[in-house]
Each structure stands twice: as C-alpha cells, then as structure tokens.
Amino acid sequence: MNLLLVDSSELQGGNAVTLRDRRADHLRDVLHVTVGQQVRAGIVDGPMGTAVVEAVADDGITVRLEIRGPPTPRPCVDLLLALPRPKVMRRLWAQLSALGIDRILLVRAARVERNYFDTHVLQPAVYRPLLLEGLQQAMDTALPRVSVHRQLKPLVEDHLGALFPSGARLIADPSATRPVRKPILDARAERAVLAIGPEGGWTRYELDLFARHGFLAVSTGHRTLRSDTACIVLLGLLHDALAHGLSARQPV
Amino acid sequence: MNLLLVDSSELQGGNAVTLRDRRADHLRDVLHVTVGQQVRAGIVDGPMGTAVVEAVADDGITVRLEIRGPPTPRPCVDLLLALPRPKVMRRLWAQLSALGIDRILLVRAARVERNYFDTHVLQPAVYRPLLLEGLQQAMDTALPRVSVHRQLKPLVEDHLGALFPSGARLIADPSATRPVRKPILDARAERAVLAIGPEGGWTRYELDLFARHGFLAVSTGHRTLRSDTACIVLLGLLHDALAHGLSARQPV
C-alpha cells in the first residue's frame, strides 16, 4: 500500500477517520506508524495529500486527512474486455486499476461462456476492494468505472460514439502485425480504447463489427499469450505509447 | 495449448510417442483429436513441425512427429530477477516462458527473505512443467535456462561478463524516468538483460553495484506496479523495443 485511500463517505463532516479494516492492519503491521506520523493519502476519485496519524489503538487507527486541490486526472485508457473466466477476472481487477484504466467495459462475445456473467466476481462488493487495492499500490485515486454488457452488437453500434467520442480505437488480434504504438503515434492520440477478446479469440463477425466502427487491429508481436498476460502487456504498451506521444509533442 | 511439446527423451529411437499426461487430456478433451489429424508440435529446445495422431485410447494418445530442421531461435531477453515470494514466483513461471526469456537468473537481494530460497517452487520438478505450459501457449520450444544465485555481488562482479557479453543491460527502478525503449534504440541493441528488484525495491548499494556494471535504470512510467505486474509489463516493453529496433534496421 503506497497510498492510503479513504472514501469521502467515511468522513463524517470532519476530516478525521478511524480505520478498522485492512488499511489499519497495514498501517500498524507493515508501516508501524506512530502518532504524529504522516503517510501519503488520497480520497477515492478525489485529490491526494497526506494523512496524519492521530491515534493508534488495538481496535483502529485514527488519521486526520490534509488533502486539498483538484482530483487526480483520470487515466487516458479505456478497456473493452470480453469477460474472462471468473478466476482470471478476479486476478485482473487489482492489476487493471494499478495499470490505470478510466472505463472497464466487460462484454459478452461469442466465445465467452454465458455462465461467466453469473459470478460474484462481477459484484461491486467483490471487485471494488480489489480495484482500490490496485489504486493504493499505484498511488492513484481514480477508481475505474465498471460496466457489464451482455450484448456486444448494440454496445458497439449504438453506444460507442457517446462513450468514446475521441481517441484511438484499437482491437487486440494475435494475427495482426501492427504494433500498439503505431496508431497512437500516427494519430497523435491522447487517449485510446482497447478491445481485448476471449481466450478463444474474437469471431470473424466480431472482428468485422469492430473494424466497421474504426477499431484498428494491433498485436504484441509474434507470441500468443494467455489472455490475462496479454491484457497486462497490451495495456503496458498502450500507456507507454500514449506517454511517448505526449513527450514527443511537448518541448523538452 | 497451441503447440504440443515433446521432450526428445520421450522418443525411444523412433518418432512416435504415447502421451498419457495433461497433453493427452488436452488433445482428447479440448481439441477432440481423431486418428489422422495433425496438430502443431515441437521438440523441447528443438525444431517445430507437426504431430499426426496415430491412436486415441482411454489410457493414452499416440502421435507420430514430423519435425525436422534447426531449433527455434532462442529469445533475445535475459531476466535477472530478485526472487519474489513463492506464491508470486509460482504464478510467474508460465508467463515468463510465454513472454520469451533465454536465461532466468533468480537472485538474492537485501530485501528478499532468505527462506524464499527453500521453497519447492525453485525445484525443477515443479517449475519445468510450468515453463513448458508457457511455451505450449506461446508456440515456442526454447526452454528458459534457470539458475539460482544466493549471492548478488559475486554474480554481478565476476560472472556477468561471461553470461552477457553483449547487448543492453537494464535495471528496473520506479524512480527512473528513462523509458525501456531508449537504451535499446540508442544502442541498436539486439538483445538485453533486465534486472528486476524485490517488492521493497533494490537498496542504494545494489543500485550502485548494477550501475558500475553498465546497467541503465529504466521504468514503466509514473505508476508503481506490483512486482509480478511490473515484470510482465517491463518484459513486454523490452520485447517490443527489440522488435522495433530490428524492424527499423531492416528494409521494409
């Protein structure tokens, strides 16, 4: 935990909060905090600053937040992900928020089993703590906005324009030869949405649907990676390309 | 399993082998192979070709290999990794071989707990099947060469020259601002070794030791990632940079 995240609902009027969950355990058992100590802290979807430890007790740790200013900027990457197996999805949540995603759209695809959507891994009570864990690791406050879509076609045909009005549209396809960075640098894109398919891949119909809506096929190279590994590599490459484009645009 | 991998020791003189392990389960239950069917196959550390199914029985599947030619080229990336927690290391094995690593050197660092080295996750009987699983996913035959080093200083001071005579030397450091691609493209490197530290980071002494031996500090950007996520992102960026450099050198 590199950043202590507090939800604004935990602050009852004032700026002090008594933590009694895993955050308190971490402050006590890993950071060994003492009264008066400062730690980096942030408000979920808000700004960052510091928290001053006011009391350390067996049943909780009280901190006073000194946090002002504007919220941290939201990440410039959206992810449209064919829902993976529940076990894989559980592993991904914290990694996705750590990597930095604005919107996570979990979609049904032809090769996604319908019962994957019945899992408790899609319940906010399960995934929200995992997303917060990733943010506390990566020192960010911007909680990804998660939505679940059981029908791909209406999502792509009717809603993508409003969801992603600008920026590059990419789709991961192991058979593609275009590197992730190319469409980003070519278009001088400042943000991007990336579609990642299921373990068995997108169908021809799905690939055509995305292509008709401006998605350019990209790949990590010649190796076929497991879906969760591919997801992490692709998001790493995408963030790198966006940062690279940004630095190329700004005078050094 | 996108490639059926067979060890040369399984071929008793001829080119047929009867599989009775998870490979047989996969051929039967996932690929539903029938007699006469061909699947992509390779010899561990050897060439790739096809396997023809000769018999499908309850207790095993017999295939005849049609594989000739030179071995697949070995990956151009070496990894020097401060040994992570056993649970993390277990998760990493298959992902590392899938991403493509020539040598994996697992090292002790000041912030690595000594008892991590006593885990069975470091026994070849445990990690070899996991490495093979990654190769079968990524369609490669080149098994990473694994070594374990309980002392960092003699390794870096006395053995790196022989192990890594050429290529770029990089060290991941979250506080660095140099992107992974820069030293690769600057030096037109065709291969690289990447050192990745423990969860608590390298010590100042360790960073200086690596710096004195030509390791340039690189990072993924501004976010602090969990060690296994960082490892996957960094290796993805490194492979991408090496492929990028290669394509820039060759006429299109």
Side-chain angles (χ1 to χ4, degrees), chain A residues 1 27-28 44 52 64 93 110 121 128 180-181 215 219:
Chain A
M1 188 171 80
L27 290 172
R28 183 172 33 227
V44 176
V52 182
R64 182 170 39 81
W93 284 119
V121 176
R128 195 170 189 276
V180 173
R181 93 185 77 78
F215 283 75
S219 83

Side-chain angles (χ1 to χ4, degrees), chain A residues 2 91 94-95 97-100 135 137-140 179 181 223-226 228-229 232-233 236-237 240 244, chain B residues 2 75 91 94-95 97-100 135 137-140 179 181 223-226 228-229 232-233 236-237 240 244:
Chain A
N2 299 307
R91 266 204 310 256
Q95 298 189 86
S97 61
L99 286 161
L135 293 178
Q137 163 72 38
M139 291 192 271
D140 190 7
R181 93 185 77 78
R223 299 175 82 96
T224 307
L225 301 172
R226 216 172 65 191
D228 55 334
T229 313
I232 293 166
V233 169
L237 291 170
D240 183 68
H244 189 195
Chain B
N2 298 307
R91 267 204 309 255
Q95 299 189 85
S97 61
L99 287 161
L135 293 178
Q137 163 71 39
M139 292 193 270
D140 190 7
R181 93 185 77 77
R223 299 175 82 95
T224 307
L225 300 171
R226 215 172 65 192
D228 55 335
T229 313
I232 293 166
V233 169
L237 291 171
D240 182 68
H244 189 196

Side-chain angles (χ1 to χ4, degrees), chain A residues 83-203:
Chain A
L83 184 62
R85 278 178 298 136
K87 188 179 147 192
V88 174
M89 191 64 230
R90 172 180 284 279
R91 266 204 310 256
L92 273 179
W93 284 119
Q95 298 189 86
L96 294 180
S97 61
L99 286 161
I101 315 280
D102 184 357
R103 280 198 183 85
I104 300 174
L105 290 84
L106 297 169
V107 303
R108 177 99 201 278
R111 292 182 188 138
V112 170
E113 288 185 35
R114 193 181 293 269
N115 62 15
Y116 289 0
F117 285 87
D118 303 329
T119 167
H120 65 291
V121 176
L122 294 190
Q123 292 170 3
V126 173
Y127 68 69
R128 195 170 189 276
L130 297 169
L131 289 175
L132 290 173
E133 183 186 313
L135 293 178
Q136 294 189 121
Q137 163 72 38
M139 291 192 271
D140 190 7
T141 70
L143 193 68
R145 292 177 278 178
V146 177
S147 56
V148 178
H149 307 264
R150 283 165 181 260
Q151 292 192 294
L152 182 64
K153 189 162 173 275
L155 172 69
V156 174
E157 293 193 336
D158 305 332
H159 300 294
L160 284 197
L163 284 168
F164 314 116
S166 68
R169 293 178 174 190
L170 313 181
I171 182 167
D173 177 358
S175 71
T177 54
R178 188 186 288 117
V180 173
R181 93 185 77 78
K182 185 153 183 3
I184 300 298
L185 300 182
D186 284 355
R188 297 170 172 247
E190 296 187 16
R191 64 179 299 135
V193 54
L194 172 66
I196 300 184
E199 247 165 289
W202 299 106
T203 61

